[in-house]
Amino acid sequence: MTMWSDEVDLDAYLERIGETAPVRPDAATLTRLHRAHVAAIRFENLDVMLGRPIDVTLAAVEQKLVRRGRGGYCYEHATLFGAVLQAIGFRVDRLLARTGDPLEEPRPRSHMTLRVAAGDEVWLADVGFGSGLLEPLPLAAGRRHRQGAWEYELVVGPDGAWRLREGAESTWRTVQTFTEEPQYPVDVEVANYDTSTNPRSPFTQRCIVMRKNAGAVHSLIGREYSVERPGRPARRETLSDQDFASALRTEFGLRLEPAEVRMLTATL
């Protein structure tokens, strides 16, 4: 059975995310790489909208996200980040999660995240959610974690599954629900195929590009560009074709050929 590979070009990856400090399998390295990855590599589904199959093998993901300067969605981000962490010496399990809480509204396991361990320490690492974590969380319940303007906690639900919850003022919402059952590449291949081809999938219906920092989430959904900050009204703007093309380049730093941009604007 095919297993996960750690044969990644670590130097090229570190250059891509702008990291120059030594790396080792510890909490400081994991946190630093997590934040740098989220800052440097975009969450986006543009190849789906360009009619291209999404290849989640490590070689394909590394070529796209590292060498071509593109982004991707959860399966691509987690495949790359998991291989990087393994190459450094972390123990990594790939997990499939549901968005939201299945006890409220059951959804399929359509999100890939990572359980990361070194010594006796275990973390949840998730660089591919778009508007998710900026840095990893200790995989333990009962503590709230501040990440810039955002606050998170992990709790165990009545079904025994973990809930990642995000707080906003006095309300909390479940971002995703997961168990610690490790997944094989074939599990991710099946989930990725459904996510990238099912007409009911949000990723087959319109362009989605996101970046998150300590203070805001910048999103391009179709031709609507928005900036959301906790506790403040969102700023939204409907973009023209020209402004859409400009936003891809300037707001999100994506390298696309002019013909690709024209194909994307035709889907708006």
Side-chain angles (χ1 to χ4, degrees):
M1 179 177 292
T2 302
M3 300 299 288
W4 296 102
S5 172
D6 61 357
E7 295 180 1
V8 67
D9 187 337
L10 186 56
D11 289 339
Y13 172 81
L14 293 174
E15 181 179 358
R16 171 74 166 96
I17 66 171
E19 276 295 310
T20 58
V23 294
R24 54 184 63 89
D26 58 24
T29 294
L30 176 61
T31 299
R32 195 173 74 248
L33 295 185
H34 197 292
R35 292 191 72 97
H37 183 117
V38 170
I41 306 179
R42 298 292 166 253
F43 180 91
E44 49 110 331
N45 72 329
L46 300 182
D47 273 1
V48 176
M49 300 308 297
L50 288 168
R52 298 169 181 164
I54 304 300
D55 186 341
V56 290
T57 62
L58 177 58
V61 169
E62 186 177 20
Q63 178 67 23
K64 180 181 176 183
L65 274 62
V66 176
R67 305 192 188 284
R68 290 173 48 211
R70 284 284 306 280
Y73 63 4
C74 64
Y75 308 111
E76 297 167 287
H77 281 273
T79 293
L80 176 61
F81 198 57
V84 165
L85 296 179
Q86 280 187 184
I88 293 169
F90 292 94
R91 302 188 307 277
V92 181
D93 287 321
R94 284 75 172 173
L95 311 178
L96 288 176
R98 306 177 192 274
T99 58
D101 191 327
L103 298 183
E104 298 172 1
E105 181 183 355
R107 296 186 178 98
R109 291 185 178 94
S110 60
H111 177 63
M112 184 177 175
T113 189
L114 303 173
R115 180 186 186 275
V116 182
D120 295 330
E121 296 182 290
V122 182
W123 302 272
L124 173 70
D126 192 347
V127 294
F129 197 74
S131 62
L133 299 176
L134 295 176
E135 58 189 53
L137 297 182
L139 192 54
R143 180 183 166 195
R144 292 182 176 178
H145 304 266
R146 171 68 62 173
Q147 298 185 358
W150 322 96
E151 192 170 12
Y152 295 97
E153 67 178 2
L154 285 165
V155 301
V156 178
D159 56 0
W162 287 101
R163 268 76 171 166
L164 171 63
R165 304 198 327 146
E166 180 181 303
E169 299 179 343
S170 61
T171 62
W172 286 78
R173 68 182 181 92
T174 297
V175 177
Q176 60 186 249
T177 301
F178 63 94
T179 66
E180 296 182 60
E181 178 187 1
Q183 304 295 306
Y184 294 103
V186 66
D187 299 312
V188 174
E189 289 170 9
V190 170
N192 170 63
Y193 181 79
D194 183 73
T195 300
S196 61
T197 63
N198 191 324
R200 291 177 294 180
S201 167
F203 296 101
T204 64
Q205 297 176 17
R206 54 188 176 174
C207 295
I208 301 173
V209 187
M210 305 180 78
R211 66 179 177 90
K212 184 176 184 177
N213 56 34
V217 177
H218 299 252
S219 303
L220 185 58
I221 312 295
R223 64 170 72 245
E224 182 176 272
Y225 174 68
S226 66
V227 181
E228 299 179 62
R229 295 179 172 88
R232 297 171 59 181
R235 177 169 65 86
R236 305 185 188 279
E237 180 182 0
T238 301
L239 304 182
S240 66
D241 288 357
Q242 182 177 352
D243 289 340
F244 174 85
S246 177
L248 291 177
R249 182 178 65 257
T250 60
E251 295 293 332
F252 298 99
L254 291 173
R255 305 178 195 170
L256 292 163
E257 297 296 329
E260 293 175 315
V261 175
R262 288 194 296 271
M263 291 174 66
L264 291 172
T265 56
T267 72
L268 300 177

